């Protein structure tokens, strides 16, 4: 079974500073994918970034980067130059290997509420 | 950019009533999902759907739940006899293909309140 752990229920950061949101995972699969989603107060789920278990380089997407440490089973999200609009709940999620018909569900962590202060 | 749309945005129903939550996934996507999020809690998987049948379901998805893709565009979640504990935000999601890096695209959710 897969498990995702986000140990920071809440984080605070000053505008324009960088912040790291932690995510650790547990799986016996060799092939898996890790995702981060943002959920603003309006409720929608917005895909941010993906990291594959076989990717040798850390994923980056604009101000978002993923600090992937496979041996430690961690996939921390780094947001650089925080903006007020970054205030939201952030979820780490994992997908295991799946055949074409399996659907390959995402398993989500508990989430981290990020507040960016002006 | 194409998006997943869900209706209604908010549904209030009485305990024991049937509800149908509607979703229009992104048109060329092949995989469809329902998730729910009880207020303040994590996002939980309910069911996945591919090739006109359920491909996987969680222990939450019991006999009270069903899904349908009646016309090739809509994807519905039916709760036959709602309970108070069914109150949650229900998210529909779709995915383009089976590649591992293919993300789920979520709709804005339907907030279901059971009274």
């Amino acid at each position: 079974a897969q498990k995702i752990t986000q140990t920071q229920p809440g984080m605070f950061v000053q505008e324009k500073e960088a912040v790291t949101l932690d995510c650790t995972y547990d799986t016996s699969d060799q092939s898996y994918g890790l995702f981060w989603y943002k959920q603003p107060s309006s409720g929608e789920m917005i895909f941010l970034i993906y990291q594959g278990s076989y990717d040798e380089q850390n994923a980056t997407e604009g101000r978002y980067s993923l600090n992937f440490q496979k041996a430690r089973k961690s996939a921390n999200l780094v947001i650089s130059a925080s903006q007020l609009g970054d205030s939201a709940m952030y979820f780490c999620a994992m997908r295991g290997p799946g055949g074409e018909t399996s659907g390959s569900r995402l398993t989500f962590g508990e989430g981290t509420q990020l507040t960016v202060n002006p | 950019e194409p998006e997943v749309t869900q209706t209604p945005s908010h549904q209030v129903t009485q305990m024991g009533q049937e509800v149908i939550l509607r979703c229009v996934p992104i048109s060329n996507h092949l995989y469809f999902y329902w998730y729910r999020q009880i207020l303040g809690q994590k996002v939980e998987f309910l069911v996945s759907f591919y090739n006109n049948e359920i491909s996987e379901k969680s222990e939450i998805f019991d006999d009270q739940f069903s899904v349908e893709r009646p016309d090739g565009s809509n994807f519905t979640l039916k709760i036959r006899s709602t309970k108070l504990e069914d109150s949650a935000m229900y998210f529909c999601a779709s995915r383009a293909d089976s590649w591992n890096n293919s993300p789920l695209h979520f709709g804005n959710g339907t907030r279901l309140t059971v009274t």
Side-chain angles (χ1 to χ4, degrees):
Chain A
Q2 300 174 339
K3 188 177 178 186
I4 293 279
T5 303
Q6 294 179 253
T7 57
Q8 306 155 314
M11 287 285 284
F12 294 86
V13 66
Q14 286 297 121
E15 198 178 4
K16 299 180 186 174
E17 291 186 352
V19 63
T20 298
L21 307 183
D22 294 342
C23 172
T24 57
Y25 59 91
D26 190 21
T27 183
S28 55
D29 297 321
Q30 296 301 309
S31 174
Y32 51 88
L34 295 152
F35 299 79
W36 277 91
Y37 282 83
K38 173 183 178 182
Q39 187 179 41
S41 57
S42 49
E44 70 268 33
M45 296 282 286
I46 303 166
F47 165 67
L48 295 177
I49 196 168
Y50 165 83
Q51 178 84 43
S53 57
Y54 292 120
D55 293 342
E56 294 186 351
Q57 292 199 333
N58 287 338
T60 61
E61 197 70 52
R63 293 186 298 110
Y64 304 108
S65 61
L66 211 150
N67 183 0
F68 181 48
Q69 298 189 42
K70 193 170 181 177
R72 294 185 179 185
K73 294 189 175 178
S74 74
N76 299 338
L77 177 71
V78 180
I79 305 174
S80 62
S82 298
Q83 302 171 355
L84 295 178
D86 293 335
S87 293
M89 182 72 90
Y90 288 81
F91 290 98
C92 181
M94 164 181 243
R95 171 187 292 147
E100 193 172 291
T101 60
S102 76
S104 293
R105 64 163 85 177
L106 288 185
T107 300
F108 283 82
E110 305 277 353
T112 295
Q113 180 68 47
L114 176 66
T115 303
V116 181
N117 293 317
Chain B
E1 186 176 324
E3 58 182 28
V4 176
T5 56
Q6 290 186 243
T7 55
S9 56
H10 192 187
Q11 172 101 40
V12 181
T13 189
Q14 289 194 324
M15 196 167 53
Q17 295 295 304
E18 174 184 285
V19 293
I20 297 176
L21 310 183
R22 301 182 192 280
C23 170
V24 179
I26 296 174
S27 63
N28 60 346
H29 282 194
L30 300 177
Y31 298 84
F32 313 109
Y33 304 80
W34 283 100
Y35 282 78
R36 80 171 186 192
Q37 185 182 28
I38 294 171
L39 188 64
Q41 298 186 22
K42 67 158 87 174
V43 180
E44 299 175 294
F45 169 77
L46 292 178
V47 66
S48 60
F49 194 86
Y50 169 75
N51 202 25
N52 288 318
E53 60 183 25
I54 291 173
S55 49
E56 191 179 4
K57 60 183 180 180
S58 72
E59 57 279 1
I60 302 168
F61 194 87
D62 61 22
D63 292 343
Q64 292 300 311
F65 291 88
S66 62
V67 289
E68 236 185 6
R69 189 159 159 79
D71 56 13
S73 61
N74 292 287
F75 179 52
T76 61
L77 174 70
K78 182 194 289 186
I79 309 175
R80 219 176 317 277
S81 176
T82 50
K83 304 188 277 283
L84 293 175
E85 54 265 37
D86 292 328
S87 294
M89 180 75 96
Y90 288 80
F91 289 103
C92 173
S94 68
R95 178 183 171 204
D97 52 46
S98 61
W99 288 102
N100 212 23
N101 64 351
S102 176
L104 267 59
H105 296 265
F106 285 84
N108 287 345
T110 293
R111 182 166 296 285
L112 176 66
T113 303
V114 182
T115 61

